[in-house]
Amino acid sequence: MAVRKLAPEELQPESFVFSPENEAFVDQQIAKYPPGRQASAIIAVLGKAQEQAGGWLPRKAIEAVAARLDMPVIRVMEVATFYTMFNLEPVGKYFIQFCGTTPCMLRGAADIKKVLERRIGDANHIPSNGTFSWLEVECLGACSNAPMVQINDDYYEDLTTENFEKLLDDLEAGRPVRKGSQIGRNRSEPFEAVNTLQDPSLYDGSLVGAWRNRFEEQAKAAETGEAAAALESVPGKAGRPGAGRAIETGAADTPAERAKEGETPINPVDRKEAADPSTATKGKSHTEEGARPAPQSSKSYVTTPSKPEGGSPVPESPTTPEAGTPPAQAETRRDGSESKPDVVVDKDNMTS
Amino acid sequence: MTKIIVDGVEVDVPAEYTLLQAAEAAGAEIPRFCYHERLSIAGNCRMCLVEVKGAPKPVASCAWGVRDCRPGPNGEPPEISTKSPTVKKAREGVMEFLLINHPLDCPICDQGGQCDLQDQAMAYGVDTSRFHENKRAVTDKYLGPLVRTSMNRCIHCTRCIRFSAEVAGVSDLGALWRGEDMEITSYLEKALGSELQANVADLCPVGALTHKPESYHYRPWELTKTDSVDVMDAVGSSIRVDSRGREVMRILPRVNEAVNEEWITDKTRHIVDGLRLQRLDRPFVRDNGRLRPASWQEAFATIANRVKSTSPQRIGAIVGDLAAVEEMFALKLLMQSLGVTNIDARQDGTVLSSAYGRGSYLFNTTISGIEDADAILIVGSNPRLEASLVNVRIRKRWRVAPPPIALIGEHADLTYPYEYLGAGPETLADLVSGRHSFMEKLRGAERPLIIVGQGALTRPDGLAVLSAAAGLARDVGAVNEGWNGFSILHTAASRVGALDLGLVPGEGGVTAQEMAQGGVDVLFNLGADEIEIAPGAFVVYQGTHGDRGAHRADVILPAATYTEKSGTYVNTEGRVQLANRAAFAPGEAREDWAILRALSDVLGHRLPFDSLNALRAKLYASHPHFAGIEMVQPADGAAAIQALAGIGGNLGREAFVSPVQDFYLTNPIARASGVMAECSALARELKLEAAE
């Protein structure tokens, strides 16, 4: 985390007074909590103070919040310095919070960052015109629309260098901009074709209460002594109220129980399937590379009997491609389907 | 009570105990940094990890209750292990993490030799580091003249923050930023504004906060430790005086649950330099208006000349605030043998007197008794300045469950909220006559506590105020079976002992104020520096520092301070405590009782003892309760308030003013101290700032 500090004295305003409407907001926030617990409203109040002061918290604002919430100033300082969402130094008119966390990074946040660095300069630095300033932040929770930035209060998603440049141009020129996705998709829907949740019955209300109805029917069937029949009539895995809980039931299907009832404990067909190497999970088993000890640092200060020569072991065949290889060219798949060999993977994310 | 097995030892502890307390009850030692029994639980240092049977990973024993442990499958008591290999490994891991950023500057660190981290790294750490990264660097903070910071050493235990917010009641310290960047500081690095701030350096388990005035002066293993008692106020905090050679190097608190728990005020701790400076190290005699050094014989002869030519009615004696019982007893015997009745230990003019019974001038409730009070009325006192540790107790009581607290007197910040009733005796009269709503709360309380301070008693109508307060105490039932809620708060360490001895003017005697204003021709001044003595009288000053008393004196007899003599002090509760000698008085200065004994010989009325033990034997024979060291002999409260309430009198109109206006400069030792002068200047500044 970058080291942050209070803004230098020459940038600090002389005073800070809540505007009447913000004053009302503060009252409303304080009213949410029991009397004497007004300090609980601190985050909301600091946020409002930051909004009023132009996107950052001057010292006087922190003191005003402390006085308003009847707290020692140091307690307010603690909160203001703890949360990176509170800016302690002035920010540009458009304050860009750029997400650099893994999903955005994988989808090209590095390019977006280059744009920011080229157009605005270093993070936490306001160019002379004061229009923009930016900061790299942790995940903002819009990973499905990565890469993305937050500019003031709004998210701008699905960025590419081109549309991001245009977005910045538009903002700078004061032209209206489109919030949310920049490639025109609706929220986080699949951006080309919608293939799921298309059954119309999902939306006509016919399924409302269906799940519950089924339990009621089952309960009725059990009362009339037809429990077994009703259970059998439910195809597949029947959801039941006690799902996931260990409930005594005669319907359990374990080898031991099958043996007790005089059946073959293990179905020969099942056994054959389980032994079929083509369907087995293709996780790399340790035996493949020979028994190898867990990685250990040569600097370990407890004597380890099985220390491999030359420090940390490197597997003969790399399981991950070298850094920098574009995902599409990588030899191994890295989309989570490695262990599911029979799933067809569409590398271009183009579903039929 | 709940059973729990600690390392195979079954103990029975209260269910609200933490695992750490249970382990201590079972005799197992648990290392800790952030946990402190008098502060809230933070659980952030992770050093106290123990293994709980059934828990998937080690748990922080300071933050895990015995009642939160699950019993075994067959209802066996829960089992914890403090010595298992897992625990050892966990501690080593925590220690390694703590040391990642801790500098290896023990050789130049003041905490060296008294450092929790050093000790525990020896006991629970490993000998090498696996970290090659650079250590974190943190700028040092300014926290005022008493606490030196070296923030690289900080391990973020937050004890200092919790102390200042919880015990001292001044939320000055905080932790800014987060994670590795976390820094302990005050808002904009302002000096701490508490009179208990130096305790944070005691609490610091590492060398991040150390005592600034004494930094780099000593190593703890060089010091000789002497248990003693503090005389800066009438609380009588238990202290340990550490000396090297003949010099006192530092003063530390000693745990005494009944008095100071384990805190002391900054004045108690940092007057150390005052014990060295401005000292009177030889007798002086005034010749032609100028004081000149003299020998003891010369000084005694000068006194004897004047005493013999003066009638006993024109001789008087005033006793100061720092005198021990022994020398007061010796002075009393000497004055009796001279036939002098003008003797007074109340230089501030308080109306308290032994005449109304011992219950009329003690803090009858006792300091620890404050925690049982369920309504508190403070009259004419600012306990925060007059007796900071009494104030800490009231705050402690307030933190448990706020009782109704009200104050008549100066509207000051006492670190806890209170109902401000008014400034002067009129409000007290209103309260007595039941015209005030707070009266209902006092009446409704089972154990009401009425604290009367010297601000209400050192005034012309003091006796009437005392009487009114006693009447109030009687009316609200403050004195009943098992509870005495009528308490006088003293400001002078010697006062209760003096009143126990009966050092008040006898038949036809005059008071200290009258003596000072020319009521006597020969005035024997035993360390009274807070009283202005009018020109005219021949003044013999027996004291320690070149303060007001010495400037006015005609003969100066150099004496020993409380760290240089063995003396009995009685605190405001009536607790008899012993101060021990940690060092020797400078130059020709002698212990007070010995000076008086030698003087009595020259005056022709030899006192009947030749040693301190003989003096004490006489003292205990005539006043048996002084033999009960560390004890409080309860006084008859009901009779005392009955006697006081019967006095009556007219209440004045002036507001009560606390006798302690400058906390840091209340006695000659403190006034000689440079550190106290600095603190005083800073406190004035803060006061001005607050007034703006």
Side-chain angles (χ1 to χ4, degrees):
Chain A
M1 196 181 79
V3 175
R4 305 187 304 148
K5 52 189 187 305
L6 279 191
E9 210 47 47
E10 61 267 21
L11 294 178
Q12 297 282 0
E14 288 289 305
S15 65
F16 179 90
V17 183
F18 276 112
S19 65
E21 49 278 18
N22 287 350
E23 198 64 47
F25 171 86
V26 173
D27 283 333
Q28 191 194 350
Q29 292 300 315
I30 292 174
K32 284 183 180 176
Y33 305 98
R37 302 285 174 188
Q38 76 288 348
S40 302
I42 181 162
I43 301 237
V45 175
L46 273 177
K48 204 51 145 181
Q50 168 159 307
E51 190 184 304
Q52 187 185 320
W56 68 292
L57 279 174
R59 187 159 66 79
K60 290 286 177 197
I62 291 173
E63 283 164 12
V65 170
R68 192 70 178 73
L69 298 180
D70 195 18
M71 292 169 78
V73 193
I74 186 77
R75 294 281 102 84
V76 182
M77 262 303 262
E78 284 179 332
V79 175
T81 55
F82 185 90
Y83 293 103
T84 48
M85 294 77 182
F86 296 121
N87 297 308
L88 300 172
E89 287 184 276
V91 294
K93 185 177 161 204
Y94 297 105
F95 176 55
I96 304 170
Q97 299 182 63
F98 153 75
C99 173
T101 309
T102 319
C104 283
M105 197 172 71
L106 291 173
R107 298 276 295 161
D111 297 334
I112 305 298
K113 190 173 177 178
K114 276 188 198 124
V115 173
L116 287 167
E117 277 167 349
R118 181 168 49 75
R119 289 191 54 138
I120 304 171
D122 292 337
N124 261 333
H125 154 89
I126 313 172
S128 51
N129 61 14
T131 318
F132 293 114
S133 69
W134 71 280
L135 186 66
E136 180 168 340
V137 298
E138 300 307 326
C139 187
L140 289 169
C143 310
S144 52
N145 294 20
M148 57 81 64
V149 297
Q150 179 183 350
I151 301 179
N152 292 348
D153 290 337
D154 299 305
Y155 278 14
Y156 297 84
E157 300 150 342
D158 292 323
L159 301 174
T160 60
T161 40
E162 295 78 38
N163 66 24
F164 186 50
E165 293 259 17
K166 183 170 176 299
L167 175 68
L168 294 183
D169 287 337
D170 288 349
L171 284 172
E172 198 160 19
R175 288 192 287 271
V177 294
R178 183 194 160 92
K179 288 168 190 166
S181 173
Q182 300 298 303
I183 56 170
R185 77 161 132 169
N186 183 17
R187 299 188 179 83
S188 55
E189 280 176 1
F191 77 96
E192 282 198 330
V194 179
N195 293 324
T196 53
L197 299 174
Q198 285 175 315
D199 187 349
S201 69
L202 286 172
Y203 306 103
D204 61 8
S206 62
L207 288 176
V208 174
W211 205 60
R212 186 179 166 175
N213 290 341
R214 203 177 74 207
F215 292 128
E216 281 167 359
E217 277 162 26
Q218 276 175 22
K220 220 176 279 169
E223 272 168 25
T224 54
E226 292 163 4
L231 269 174
E232 271 161 21
S233 70
V234 180
K237 264 170 47 177
R240 45 179 63 243
R245 269 168 261 155
I247 289 179
E248 292 256 356
T249 163
D253 185 34
T254 61
E257 246 164 327
R258 267 180 256 152
K260 203 170 116 193
E261 284 166 18
E263 296 173 23
T264 23
I266 293 169
N267 192 335
V269 182
D270 288 349
R271 181 179 297 193
K272 189 159 167 269
E273 269 176 20
D276 185 359
S278 66
T279 58
T281 313
K282 239 186 200 159
K284 289 255 194 296
S285 113
H286 284 305
T287 47
E288 244 175 37
E289 291 163 28
R292 107 180 115 80
Q296 267 164 347
S297 157
S298 60
K299 301 249 163 52
S300 174
Y301 62 118
V302 279
T303 337
T304 16
S306 60
K307 192 181 280 182
E309 290 81 21
S312 62
V314 180
E316 265 77 40
S317 54
T319 49
T320 45
E322 273 177 45
T325 317
Q329 294 158 22
E331 282 184 42
T332 31
R333 282 167 296 187
R334 295 195 300 158
D335 54 4
S337 65
E338 297 97 309
S339 58
K340 301 189 189 95
D342 294 338
V343 180
V344 179
V345 175
D346 186 353
K347 278 182 187 161
D348 302 322
N349 199 16
M350 301 285 265
T351 26
S352 57
Chain B
M1 302 290 270
T2 313
K3 284 192 169 49
I4 185 164
I5 300 171
V6 181
D7 297 332
V9 181
E10 190 176 291
V11 284
D12 206 9
V13 294
E16 64 271 16
Y17 260 33
T18 60
L19 291 185
L20 194 147
Q21 288 169 310
E24 285 192 335
E29 188 189 86
I30 309 249
R32 84 287 301 265
F33 292 112
C34 70
Y35 175 79
H36 192 278
E37 54 265 30
R38 286 174 223 281
L39 303 177
S40 64
I41 292 168
N44 54 12
C45 76
R46 315 310 289 179
M47 195 61 202
C48 63
L49 293 175
V50 298
E51 201 178 351
V52 178
K53 196 172 180 183
K57 42 186 186 170
V59 301
S61 62
C62 71
W64 192 284
V66 169
R67 63 154 65 99
D68 301 332
C69 293
R70 287 169 64 172
N74 305 314
E76 305 99 334
E79 210 173 312
I80 65 171
S81 171
T82 68
K83 297 186 177 76
S84 68
T86 315
V87 172
K88 183 171 185 295
K89 203 175 162 204
R91 283 178 189 164
E92 284 176 359
V94 168
M95 181 57 76
E96 208 177 354
F97 275 129
L98 287 175
L99 293 176
I100 292 175
N101 279 322
H102 193 80
L104 286 174
D105 58 0
C106 303
I108 56 150
C109 176
D110 257 345
Q111 197 80 353
Q114 51 185 351
C115 176
D116 288 0
L117 187 64
Q118 210 177 22
D119 295 348
Q120 293 181 29
M122 290 298 289
Y124 304 104
V126 291
D127 58 348
T128 51
S129 170
R130 290 182 286 175
F131 291 91
H132 302 277
E133 289 78 13
N134 287 333
K135 288 182 189 268
R136 173 192 59 143
V138 185
T139 48
D140 292 345
K141 308 291 184 295
Y142 171 77
L143 295 181
L146 299 182
V147 180
R148 178 185 295 282
T149 63
S150 177
M151 297 320 262
N152 282 347
R153 300 171 185 155
C154 179
I155 59 167
H156 300 165
C157 70
T158 68
R159 273 188 190 179
C160 50
I161 300 178
R162 283 176 283 146
F163 173 82
S164 54
E166 291 163 14
V167 178
V170 178
S171 287
D172 276 346
L173 282 172
L176 300 192
W177 321 113
R178 60 195 278 186
E180 195 196 18
D181 300 312
M182 181 169 141
E183 293 182 16
I184 307 280
T185 183
S186 61
Y187 183 63
L188 304 179
E189 296 198 29
K190 277 207 184 90
L192 303 182
S194 168
E195 63 293 331
L196 297 160
Q197 53 176 284
N199 288 303
V200 300
D202 276 357
L203 284 171
C204 187
V206 296
L209 306 179
T210 52
H211 299 293
K212 203 180 250 181
E214 60 203 44
S215 57
Y216 308 130
H217 281 24
Y218 58 81
R219 281 299 190 184
W221 57 83
E222 302 167 342
L223 305 176
T224 311
K225 287 96 176 166
T226 313
D227 286 353
S228 189
V229 54
D230 173 54
V231 301
M232 292 299 122
D233 51 29
V235 174
S237 307
S238 294
I239 55 170
R240 195 185 84 194
V241 182
D242 285 9
S243 51
R244 183 173 62 193
R246 54 182 301 149
E247 204 176 8
V248 173
M249 298 307 290
R250 66 167 172 185
I251 292 173
L252 289 178
R254 204 153 43 91
V255 177
N256 187 342
E257 296 297 339
V259 182
N260 58 323
E261 299 180 278
E262 62 175 275
W263 322 119
I264 52 173
T265 64
D266 296 343
K267 186 164 57 173
T268 300
R269 187 191 303 268
H270 284 305
I271 40 91
V272 170
D273 63 334
L275 294 169
R276 287 193 282 270
L277 302 170
Q278 292 278 337
R279 285 304 298 273
L280 302 170
D281 59 353
R282 62 172 71 176
F284 289 86
V285 172
R286 193 177 290 275
D287 257 355
N288 303 323
R290 290 184 68 85
L291 283 167
R292 64 165 176 83
S295 68
W296 279 104
Q297 286 78 9
E298 208 182 341
F300 284 161
T302 318
I303 299 168
N305 272 342
R306 290 302 287 247
V307 168
K308 279 174 185 154
S309 62
T310 313
S311 79
Q313 284 77 41
R314 298 298 293 171
I315 301 177
I318 304 179
V319 178
D321 293 348
L322 306 180
V325 170
E326 282 80 359
E327 58 246 32
M328 291 193 286
F329 182 61
L331 182 69
K332 186 186 172 195
L333 293 188
L334 178 61
M335 289 299 150
Q336 268 175 1
S337 61
L338 290 171
V340 173
T341 53
N342 304 322
I343 184 161
D344 199 350
R346 305 167 301 177
Q347 57 170 325
D348 56 3
T350 180
V351 296
L352 296 170
S353 165
S354 40
Y356 314 116
R358 198 161 181 253
S360 71
Y361 59 83
L362 288 190
F363 198 91
N364 292 302
T365 317
T366 72
I367 294 172
S368 57
I370 293 172
E371 291 178 35
D372 299 325
D374 52 4
I376 300 173
L377 172 69
I378 302 165
V379 181
S381 174
N382 178 353
R384 186 174 172 193
L385 299 187
E386 293 170 27
S388 308
L389 293 161
V390 167
N391 201 49
V392 164
R393 282 298 172 121
I394 301 175
R395 183 175 158 80
K396 189 179 177 189
R397 171 68 190 86
W398 172 78
R399 271 174 58 79
V400 173
I405 304 178
L407 176 106
I408 304 175
E410 280 179 51
H411 197 147
D413 176 13
L414 297 183
T415 72
Y416 43 84
Y418 58 83
E419 201 177 319
Y420 183 65
L421 302 183
E426 288 160 336
T427 317
L428 184 65
D430 277 358
L431 204 58
V432 171
S433 59
R435 282 198 298 272
H436 212 292
S437 61
F438 193 75
M439 191 63 179
E440 292 312 306
K441 293 179 187 162
L442 277 178
R443 279 222 178 88
E446 266 173 52
R447 293 179 301 277
L449 167 60
I450 296 170
I451 299 174
V452 185
Q454 298 305 319
L457 304 175
T458 54
R459 34 192 279 147
D461 62 343
L463 204 54
V465 174
L466 183 63
S467 172
L472 179 67
R474 187 185 55 190
D475 292 352
V476 300
V479 181
N480 52 44
E481 197 64 38
W483 178 256
N484 188 340
F486 181 68
S487 292
I488 307 292
L489 188 61
H490 288 264
T491 52
S494 70
R495 190 65 43 78
V496 174
L499 292 174
D500 281 354
L501 286 171
L503 288 190
V504 290
E507 277 302 285
V510 292
T511 66
Q513 297 291 339
E514 288 160 345
M515 283 186 246
Q517 280 147 25
V520 290
D521 292 334
V522 174
L523 182 60
F524 197 90
N525 180 351
L526 184 62
D529 289 285
E530 321 303 321
I531 190 164
E532 186 73 53
I533 299 167
F538 176 83
V539 179
V540 179
Y541 176 77
Q542 178 178 336
T544 56
H545 284 72
D547 208 69
R548 185 192 273 172
H551 290 303
R552 172 64 188 84
D554 293 290
V555 176
I556 294 175
L557 305 176
T561 62
Y562 68 110
T563 56
E564 295 154 4
K565 65 188 172 197
S566 175
T568 307
Y569 288 92
V570 188
N571 80 353
T572 188
E573 321 165 85
R575 188 180 303 276
V576 181
Q577 302 188 101
L578 214 52
N580 288 310
R581 184 169 65 202
F584 288 93
E588 292 172 44
R590 293 290 178 269
E591 292 187 29
D592 293 81
W593 76 269
I595 297 171
L596 288 164
R597 162 70 180 69
L599 179 63
S600 70
D601 209 2
V602 178
L603 293 179
H605 297 272
R606 179 188 293 192
L607 290 170
F609 39 76
D610 293 323
S611 70
L612 190 59
N613 283 341
L615 187 160
R616 287 206 174 126
K618 282 248 175 290
L619 173 69
Y620 297 160
S622 57
H623 300 88
H625 74 275
F626 285 122
I629 305 293
E630 299 290 320
M631 310 258 280
V632 176
Q633 180 153 351
D636 185 355
I641 59 168
Q642 199 61 42
L644 287 178
I647 297 168
N650 290 324
L651 295 173
R653 303 181 60 84
E654 273 170 53
F656 297 136
V657 180
S658 168
V660 179
Q661 289 302 320
D662 193 336
F663 170 75
Y664 296 100
L665 303 177
T666 51
N667 62 52
I669 307 179
R671 283 191 288 268
S673 160
V675 179
M676 287 298 110
E678 202 179 335
C679 288
S680 164
L682 201 69
R684 260 202 309 278
E685 237 171 70
L686 286 178
K687 210 170 170 184
L688 285 178
E689 225 169 83
E692 266 171 18

Short mmCIF file of all heavy atoms in Angstrom, two decimals, chain A residues 229-248:
data_model
loop_
_atom_site.label_atom_id
_atom_site.label_comp_id
_atom_site.label_asym_id
_atom_site.label_seq_id
_atom_site.Cartn_x
_atom_site.Cartn_y
_atom_site.Cartn_z
N ALA A 229 -43.13 -44.87 -2.63
CA ALA A 229 -43.51 -44.68 -4.04
C ALA A 229 -43.26 -43.25 -4.48
O ALA A 229 -42.70 -43.00 -5.55
CB ALA A 229 -44.97 -45.04 -4.22
N ALA A 230 -43.64 -42.32 -3.61
CA ALA A 230 -43.47 -40.91 -3.98
C ALA A 230 -42.01 -40.57 -4.17
O ALA A 230 -41.65 -39.83 -5.08
CB ALA A 230 -44.08 -40.02 -2.90
N LEU A 231 -41.20 -41.14 -3.26
CA LEU A 231 -39.78 -40.83 -3.37
C LEU A 231 -39.22 -41.35 -4.68
O LEU A 231 -38.44 -40.67 -5.34
CB LEU A 231 -39.03 -41.47 -2.20
CG LEU A 231 -38.86 -40.59 -0.96
CD1 LEU A 231 -38.23 -41.40 0.15
CD2 LEU A 231 -38.06 -39.35 -1.27
N GLU A 232 -39.64 -42.56 -5.02
CA GLU A 232 -39.12 -43.15 -6.26
C GLU A 232 -39.57 -42.39 -7.50
O GLU A 232 -38.88 -42.35 -8.50
CB GLU A 232 -39.58 -44.60 -6.37
CG GLU A 232 -38.57 -45.55 -5.70
CD GLU A 232 -39.19 -46.90 -5.39
OE1 GLU A 232 -40.21 -47.23 -6.02
OE2 GLU A 232 -38.65 -47.57 -4.53
N SER A 233 -40.77 -41.78 -7.35
CA SER A 233 -41.29 -41.09 -8.52
C SER A 233 -40.52 -39.82 -8.83
O SER A 233 -40.62 -39.26 -9.91
CB SER A 233 -42.76 -40.75 -8.31
OG SER A 233 -42.85 -39.74 -7.34
N VAL A 234 -39.77 -39.34 -7.82
CA VAL A 234 -38.99 -38.11 -8.08
C VAL A 234 -37.72 -38.50 -8.83
O VAL A 234 -36.92 -39.28 -8.32
CB VAL A 234 -38.63 -37.41 -6.76
CG1 VAL A 234 -37.83 -36.16 -7.04
CG2 VAL A 234 -39.89 -37.08 -5.98
N PRO A 235 -37.55 -37.99 -10.01
CA PRO A 235 -36.36 -38.37 -10.75
C PRO A 235 -35.11 -37.65 -10.25
O PRO A 235 -35.20 -36.57 -9.70
CB PRO A 235 -36.70 -37.94 -12.18
CG PRO A 235 -37.65 -36.81 -11.98
CD PRO A 235 -38.37 -37.01 -10.69
N GLY A 236 -34.01 -38.29 -10.45
CA GLY A 236 -32.72 -37.66 -10.11
C GLY A 236 -32.55 -37.47 -8.63
O GLY A 236 -33.12 -38.19 -7.82
N LYS A 237 -31.73 -36.48 -8.31
CA LYS A 237 -31.45 -36.20 -6.90
C LYS A 237 -32.58 -35.38 -6.32
O LYS A 237 -32.80 -34.25 -6.72
CB LYS A 237 -30.14 -35.42 -6.76
CG LYS A 237 -28.97 -36.34 -6.46
CD LYS A 237 -27.62 -35.69 -6.54
CE LYS A 237 -27.47 -34.38 -5.87
NZ LYS A 237 -26.11 -33.85 -5.94
N ALA A 238 -33.27 -35.94 -5.40
CA ALA A 238 -34.39 -35.22 -4.82
C ALA A 238 -33.91 -34.28 -3.74
O ALA A 238 -33.21 -34.68 -2.83
CB ALA A 238 -35.37 -36.22 -4.22
N GLY A 239 -34.26 -33.02 -3.90
CA GLY A 239 -33.97 -32.09 -2.82
C GLY A 239 -34.92 -32.37 -1.69
O GLY A 239 -36.07 -32.74 -1.91
N ARG A 240 -34.44 -32.27 -0.51
CA ARG A 240 -35.31 -32.53 0.63
C ARG A 240 -35.01 -31.51 1.72
O ARG A 240 -33.93 -30.93 1.75
CB ARG A 240 -35.13 -33.96 1.13
CG ARG A 240 -33.66 -34.37 1.23
CD ARG A 240 -33.48 -35.75 1.75
NE ARG A 240 -34.03 -36.77 0.90
CZ ARG A 240 -35.03 -37.57 1.30
NH1 ARG A 240 -35.54 -37.41 2.50
NH2 ARG A 240 -35.48 -38.49 0.51
N PRO A 241 -35.98 -31.33 2.60
CA PRO A 241 -35.78 -30.30 3.61
C PRO A 241 -34.50 -30.51 4.41
O PRO A 241 -33.84 -29.55 4.79
CB PRO A 241 -37.00 -30.42 4.51
CG PRO A 241 -38.02 -31.14 3.71
CD PRO A 241 -37.27 -32.01 2.73
N GLY A 242 -34.16 -31.73 4.63
CA GLY A 242 -32.98 -31.97 5.47
C GLY A 242 -31.71 -32.10 4.66
O GLY A 242 -30.74 -32.70 5.12
N ALA A 243 -31.73 -31.57 3.45
CA ALA A 243 -30.58 -31.76 2.57
C ALA A 243 -29.30 -31.32 3.25
O ALA A 243 -29.24 -30.25 3.85
CB ALA A 243 -30.77 -30.98 1.29
N GLY A 244 -28.30 -32.15 3.13
CA GLY A 244 -27.01 -31.79 3.68
C GLY A 244 -26.86 -32.17 5.13
O GLY A 244 -25.78 -32.13 5.68
N ARG A 245 -27.94 -32.52 5.75
CA ARG A 245 -27.83 -32.90 7.15
C ARG A 245 -27.88 -34.41 7.28
O ARG A 245 -28.52 -35.09 6.47
CB ARG A 245 -28.98 -32.29 7.95
CG ARG A 245 -28.63 -30.94 8.52
CD ARG A 245 -29.85 -30.26 9.05
NE ARG A 245 -30.36 -29.28 8.08
CZ ARG A 245 -31.62 -28.91 8.03
NH1 ARG A 245 -32.51 -29.43 8.83
NH2 ARG A 245 -31.99 -28.00 7.15
N ALA A 246 -27.25 -34.94 8.28
CA ALA A 246 -27.26 -36.38 8.49
C ALA A 246 -28.60 -36.77 9.09
O ALA A 246 -28.86 -36.54 10.27
CB ALA A 246 -26.13 -36.78 9.40
N ILE A 247 -29.47 -37.25 8.26
CA ILE A 247 -30.78 -37.63 8.76
C ILE A 247 -30.93 -39.14 8.56
O ILE A 247 -30.58 -39.67 7.50
CB ILE A 247 -31.88 -36.87 8.01
CG1 ILE A 247 -31.84 -35.40 8.45
CG2 ILE A 247 -33.24 -37.46 8.28
CD1 ILE A 247 -32.84 -34.55 7.77
N GLU A 248 -31.40 -39.80 9.54
CA GLU A 248 -31.58 -41.24 9.43
C GLU A 248 -32.58 -41.53 8.33
O GLU A 248 -33.71 -41.05 8.35
CB GLU A 248 -32.12 -41.79 10.76
CG GLU A 248 -31.11 -41.70 11.88
CD GLU A 248 -30.50 -43.05 12.19
OE1 GLU A 248 -30.91 -44.06 11.59
OE2 GLU A 248 -29.58 -43.07 13.02
#
